[in-house]
Amino acid sequence: MGAFLKQSLTTQIVIAAFVAWATTQLLPFEKQTLLALSEPLSLIKLVYLGLLKAIVGIMVMFSLIEGISNIGSLVRLKQVGSVAVVYYLITTTIAICIGLGAALMMPEWTPLTSAPPAADSLTLIDDSSAQGVSILNKLFSMALMNPIAALSGGNLLAIVTFSILIAIALLATLDNSHPVFEVVKGVNQSISTLVRGIIRLAPFAVFAIVFELTIESNSTLFSQLFEFGLLVFGLTMIHSLIVLPVIAKLATGTSPIPLFKAISAPMSMALATSSSSATLPLSLQTAKEKLGVSDSTSSLVLPMGAVMNMDGTALFEGVAAVFLAQLFGIDLSTGAIVMIFLMAMVSSVGAPGMPSGSMSGMQLVLLAAGIPLEAIAILLIIERPLDTFRTAVNVQGDLIGSMVVDRWSRKHSAETPKHTQVTN
């Protein structure tokens, strides 16, 4: 049992959250005593959130640069890659719209009485300028600035913009074997090691933050988390069982039942590992042997999809942003909703294909919408179980994308079969 607890970060986080809640709600402590205890605990929260803030800009930058540079060449990007990117954009947009639309139509969640205020230093689009060209002007002014200033000022939109531009420039200028790409890969691996180390502090930070939040907010936090989890699960199933199979049917002529039989193995592995990257070898094999996708297509589309096509993650981030904004008493303006949409889109592109990898992108969404980073701790309580289903949908979207792109490629090379060949 002890060994299991040491290995299972999810279990540690859940236990930490429960102990913090039980301490404030079930034990006979006076409120003043609890407030006094929260003061030293706030140091743990400060350290954890400070480390996250320190690493998030560099992490987003190098993750995006490596993800785009992995495409290999601009020629491949312009041809098959361009079709894949269009597919990714369409499915990701649908996923975010489903998440945001459903979350905004739901009755508002009850705000936490002890929630900290939104950061005043964040630059958001206000209601008066959230119209037409004004939105574009504001977005461009935020996106196009000195990257060093963007890193020091925490302007993640500018960091994302610069990362995409520099990645395309590297792809156009340097050979695939150039040492620069190895350096980027090495830096990314080092950042991932650092992030894993920081995440090991999560149970302590979750205890401190949940303790602080539940001193005055009673037990509604956990009941609302349960409702949030059900909403995310239901919307994820809609995207998986309706949206993606309809796209596969319309684009390739493949029926849902044969499709799910063919891709059941990689989806099961994704469900078990919560890692699209770990599932990639099996996805490549399935695309070739079960879906009839050519090697040239699958070798480009599936690795690219593992870092760029995160439908389940984008949907989750859209719902989570609305949920947390309401939980922290933040009124989302039209401009803020636009920022959530855009940041959910770009953050899903750079999300690491590993368990709970979406938490790095979630920081991007929270900061863009003016939601305190303390909210990350709330999501960590329930994020891991939801992550398994989201990852399976991400892998499903990648495999269907390989079928769509392969059919387009065959059509334009006069090699199109009547239907994509799916075998069980």
Side-chain angles (χ1 to χ4, degrees):
M1 184 65 177
F4 173 75
L5 288 177
K6 289 181 180 179
Q7 294 177 356
S8 177
L9 182 63
T10 304
T11 304
Q12 294 173 17
I13 289 173
V14 171
I15 292 175
F18 176 77
V19 171
W21 172 83
T23 302
T24 59
Q25 300 298 318
L26 302 181
L27 297 182
F29 288 129
E30 295 289 337
K31 185 175 180 179
Q32 292 302 319
T33 303
L34 294 174
L35 289 173
L37 288 173
S38 70
E39 292 182 5
L41 289 175
S42 65
L43 179 61
I44 301 175
K45 179 187 76 173
L46 180 64
V47 170
Y48 183 71
L49 296 178
L51 289 171
L52 287 178
K53 290 177 182 178
I55 198 66
V56 63
I58 295 293
M59 178 175 60
V60 169
M61 174 180 287
F62 280 93
S63 179
L64 279 171
I65 292 175
E66 183 182 11
I68 295 174
S69 63
N70 280 341
I71 293 173
S73 71
L74 288 180
V75 174
R76 297 186 74 196
L77 178 62
K78 290 178 181 178
Q79 294 174 352
V80 177
S82 61
V83 180
V85 169
V86 170
Y87 167 82
Y88 299 155
L89 290 175
I90 291 173
T91 57
T92 303
T93 299
I94 293 173
I96 298 174
C97 288
I98 290 173
L100 277 176
L104 292 171
M105 288 189 293
M106 291 283 291
E108 289 195 8
W109 281 281
T110 305
L112 298 173
T113 56
S114 60
D120 296 330
S121 60
L122 295 172
T123 304
L124 300 176
I125 302 173
D126 54 38
D127 289 320
S128 62
S129 61
Q131 303 176 22
V133 179
S134 298
I135 293 179
L136 294 178
N137 288 337
K138 187 67 174 179
L139 286 175
F140 278 117
S141 66
M142 293 170 63
L144 303 177
M145 66 177 297
N146 187 295
I148 305 300
L151 284 169
S152 62
N155 185 341
L156 292 176
L157 181 59
I159 294 171
V160 168
T161 302
F162 173 78
S163 301
I164 292 173
L165 293 177
I166 196 66
I168 293 175
L170 289 173
L171 210 57
T173 307
L174 304 178
D175 185 79
N176 292 340
S177 59
H178 197 279
V180 167
F181 296 114
E182 291 300 318
V183 171
V184 170
K185 184 178 180 180
V187 171
N188 249 331
Q189 291 174 344
S190 300
I191 292 174
S192 295
T193 301
L194 178 58
V195 169
R196 282 193 293 270
I198 295 173
I199 291 298
R200 298 306 302 179
L201 299 175
F204 303 101
V206 167
F207 178 89
I209 294 171
V210 172
F211 184 92
E212 179 181 321
L213 292 176
T214 53
I215 288 176
E216 298 180 3
S217 61
N218 62 53
S219 60
T220 59
L221 173 61
F222 286 88
S223 63
Q224 292 189 108
L225 269 175
F226 180 73
E227 295 172 2
F228 165 74
L230 287 180
L231 177 61
V232 172
F233 176 77
L235 296 176
T236 303
M237 291 301 99
I238 289 174
H239 192 74
S240 174
L241 301 177
I242 299 176
V243 175
L244 291 178
V246 167
I247 292 175
K249 179 66 176 178
L250 293 176
T252 69
T254 305
S255 299
I257 293 178
L259 172 65
F260 279 108
K261 286 183 178 180
I263 65 176
S264 60
M267 286 190 68
S268 298
M269 176 172 283
L271 198 66
T273 63
S274 296
S275 172
S276 54
S277 297
T279 311
L280 186 56
L282 182 56
S283 295
L284 287 166
Q285 180 182 356
T286 299
K288 178 181 178 180
E289 298 179 0
K290 300 289 187 179
L291 303 179
V293 178
S294 65
D295 287 337
S296 60
T297 299
S298 61
S299 64
L300 168 66
V301 176
L302 291 176
M304 189 164 67
V307 294
M308 294 185 67
N309 185 40
M310 302 281 185
D311 295 354
T313 298
L315 187 152
F316 168 80
E317 290 175 349
V319 180
V322 175
F323 168 69
L324 293 173
Q326 294 176 358
L327 211 60
F328 280 71
I330 298 171
D331 292 326
L332 292 176
S333 64
T334 304
I337 293 172
V338 171
M339 289 296 293
I340 290 173
F341 178 89
L342 293 175
M343 290 301 100
M345 177 77 74
V346 298
S347 66
S348 67
V349 169
M354 61 184 184
S356 299
S358 62
M359 285 298 95
S360 59
M362 195 67 230
Q363 296 173 59
L364 184 70
V365 178
L366 296 184
L367 290 172
I371 302 170
L373 273 182
E374 283 87 343
I376 286 285
I378 296 176
L379 288 184
L380 284 172
I381 299 171
I382 198 172
E383 190 273 340
R384 189 65 173 88
L386 295 175
D387 189 35
T388 59
F389 298 100
R390 294 202 315 272
T391 304
V393 174
N394 292 341
V395 170
Q396 177 191 3
D398 294 344
L399 288 165
I400 293 176
S402 70
M403 296 168 60
V404 172
V405 174
D406 192 61
R407 184 168 178 80
W408 178 90
S409 179
R410 292 175 186 274
K411 180 178 180 180
H412 286 76
S413 60
E415 298 178 2
T416 310
K418 290 184 178 181
H419 296 287
T420 301
Q421 301 299 312
V422 174
T423 59
N424 297 326

